């Protein structure tokens, strides 16, 4: 049985002058242990979709509707706010693009991790700190014991994103939603973070909803790919099929844009 089933999800932002239908009748599912990518150009509605799943969008201006959004047997569109709050950062965890903006600058890494562990598991105090330490080590931050006392600004962007991933994982999620998790990082760091996500996903049998505009990222990680254009799904299927034999012209244009970027990156710098 699917872990997450989304049927006919729509989101409209009501503005003073105009309404924007940011997500338009989207349906898809995520199986246990599956990596599903959502791709699309900037403004296609990826982040809105990610936030709408757990009704994280302020309403107004956002107006949400869905036939249903089902997760572990619960309909998230009829669930109470209390149920949703337990779910968010719990069985459904998020990792966003900007780790610095997601971490609390006045709390140490250890305090933030311990707080997450205490909120979402039955571990407390020193016991929770041990769990926090374990997660720091698992995401590749050695020597973790000393790092627990560090503040976010003492870490590089890549290390901060590792901490965010540790926080997300510490609540033992079944589904991790990663919205452009590597877009703000240097290229070499991007590869390391993607490898970490893939390793954690495999080791813990996690389901991953990976949101990206970068088809190379998607190709590395995703079993299935959903292509969004102007809020609607234009194509979906096994990643290999979608990327190698795209059926929709929009997907082809995304692939062409990617190919020309790669080509340019390989050219020596010059004025050409
Ligand atoms: N709070 C808001 N109020 C009004 N319109 C919004 C709001 N947030 C997003 N939008 C609009 O909704 C559409 C989808 O935006 P969204 O941020 O979901 O796209 P995205 O695919 O995540 O883009 P990006 O790749 O740049 O992150 C865009 O047209 C955007 O301008
Ligand atoms: Mg976005």
């Amino acid at each position: 049985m699917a872990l997450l089933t989304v049927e006919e999800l729509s989101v409209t932002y009501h503005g003073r002058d105009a309404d924007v239908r940011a997500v338009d009748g989207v349906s898809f599912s995520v199986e246990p242990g599956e990596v599903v990518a959502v791709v699309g150009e900037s403004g296609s509605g990826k982040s809105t979709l990610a936030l709408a799943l757990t009704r994280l969008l302020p309403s107004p201006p956002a107006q949400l509707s869905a036939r249903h959004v089902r997760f572990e047997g619960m309909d998230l569109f009829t669930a109470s706010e209390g149920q949703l709050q337990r779910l968010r950062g719990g069985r459904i965890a998020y990792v966003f693009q900007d780790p610095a903006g997601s971490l609390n600058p006045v709390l140490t890494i250890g305090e933030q991790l311990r707080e997450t562990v205490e909120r979402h598991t039955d571990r407390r105090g020193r016991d929770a700190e041990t769990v926090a330490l374990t997660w720091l080590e698992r995401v590749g931050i050695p020597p973790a014991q000393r790092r627990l006392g560090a503040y976010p600004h003492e870490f590089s962007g890549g290390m901060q994103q590792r901490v965010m991933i540790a926080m997300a994982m510490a609540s033992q999620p079944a589904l991790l939603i990663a919205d452009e998790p590597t877009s703000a990082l240097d290229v070499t760091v991007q590869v390391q973070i993607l490898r970490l996500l893939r390793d954690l996903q495999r080791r813990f049998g996690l389901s991953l909803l990976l949101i990206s505009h970068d088809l190379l990222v998607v190709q590395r990680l995703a079993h299935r790919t959903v292509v969004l254009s102007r809020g609607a799904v234009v194509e979906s299927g096994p990643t290999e099929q979608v990327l190698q034999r795209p059926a929709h012209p929009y997907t082809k244009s995304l692939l062409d844009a990617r190919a020309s970027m790669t080509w340019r990156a390989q050219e020596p710098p010059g004025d050409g």
Side-chain angles (χ1 to χ4, degrees):
M1 205 176 75
L3 179 73
L4 173 77
T5 321
V6 179
E7 285 254 12
E8 298 281 331
L9 174 64
S10 295
V11 181
T12 301
Y13 290 110
H14 291 290
R16 206 179 311 168
D17 303 321
D19 293 346
V20 178
R21 194 153 175 91
V23 175
D24 192 5
V26 166
S27 303
F28 68 96
S29 63
V30 181
E31 301 294 323
E34 191 182 31
V35 181
V36 175
V38 176
V39 299
E41 64 192 345
S42 182
S44 57
K46 305 181 296 293
S47 296
T48 302
L49 170 64
L51 296 171
L53 294 176
T54 61
R55 296 190 1 230
L56 255 177
L57 292 164
S59 171
Q63 189 191 344
L64 282 65
S65 72
R67 204 197 302 250
H68 67 248
V69 174
R70 211 165 274 146
F71 175 78
E72 293 191 323
M74 191 197 295
D75 187 340
L76 305 190
F77 269 59
T78 55
S80 69
E81 184 53 34
Q83 284 175 309
L84 289 170
Q85 273 175 17
R86 275 191 297 282
L87 201 70
R88 297 178 195 130
R91 294 295 288 166
I92 300 182
Y94 286 90
V95 173
F96 296 107
Q97 177 172 344
D98 171 29
S102 307
L103 286 162
N104 186 334
V106 302
L107 293 181
T108 65
I109 299 299
E111 285 166 333
Q112 297 184 56
L113 261 169
R114 199 187 61 207
E115 195 181 281
T116 305
V117 172
E118 290 188 341
R119 193 173 333 128
H120 292 287
T121 73
D122 54 9
R123 314 288 284 269
R124 296 288 175 272
R126 289 218 65 100
D127 202 19
E129 203 168 292
T130 307
V131 177
L133 199 64
T134 306
W135 276 110
L136 273 189
E137 267 155 15
R138 281 181 181 154
V139 300
I141 302 187
Q145 180 70 58
R146 190 159 53 75
R147 302 291 188 132
L148 281 178
Y151 288 89
H153 74 264
E154 298 175 56
F155 280 22
S156 67
M159 295 293 251
Q160 289 176 345
Q161 195 60 301
R162 286 179 192 269
V163 172
M164 290 312 299
I165 292 168
M167 297 241 280
M169 292 300 298
S171 63
Q172 301 175 323
L175 174 66
L176 184 66
I177 300 178
D179 188 353
E180 304 274 9
T182 60
S183 305
L185 306 172
D186 293 345
V187 176
T188 48
V189 181
Q190 285 188 10
V191 175
Q192 295 163 8
I193 296 291
L194 288 175
R195 197 171 294 144
L196 171 65
L197 281 173
R198 193 198 53 199
D199 292 348
L200 290 172
Q201 184 272 327
R202 288 190 184 158
R203 179 166 170 195
F204 296 97
L206 197 69
S207 296
L208 180 63
L209 188 64
L210 178 69
I211 291 172
S212 182
H213 66 278
D214 188 337
L215 295 170
L216 274 186
V217 168
V218 167
Q219 191 173 24
R220 282 210 182 97
L221 262 78
H223 301 119
R224 273 190 309 125
T225 293
V226 175
V227 184
L228 266 195
S229 171
R230 296 172 184 220
V233 176
V234 294
E235 179 167 6
S236 69
T239 299
E240 223 184 71
Q241 180 191 313
V242 171
L243 296 192
Q244 286 175 10
R245 295 184 300 282
H248 198 278
Y250 175 77
T251 315
K252 283 183 195 146
S253 70
L254 285 180
L255 284 163
D256 289 346
R258 177 69 227 190
S260 74
M261 263 172 67
T262 312
W263 181 77
R264 266 189 234 126
Q266 284 164 352
E267 290 286 291
D271 52 13

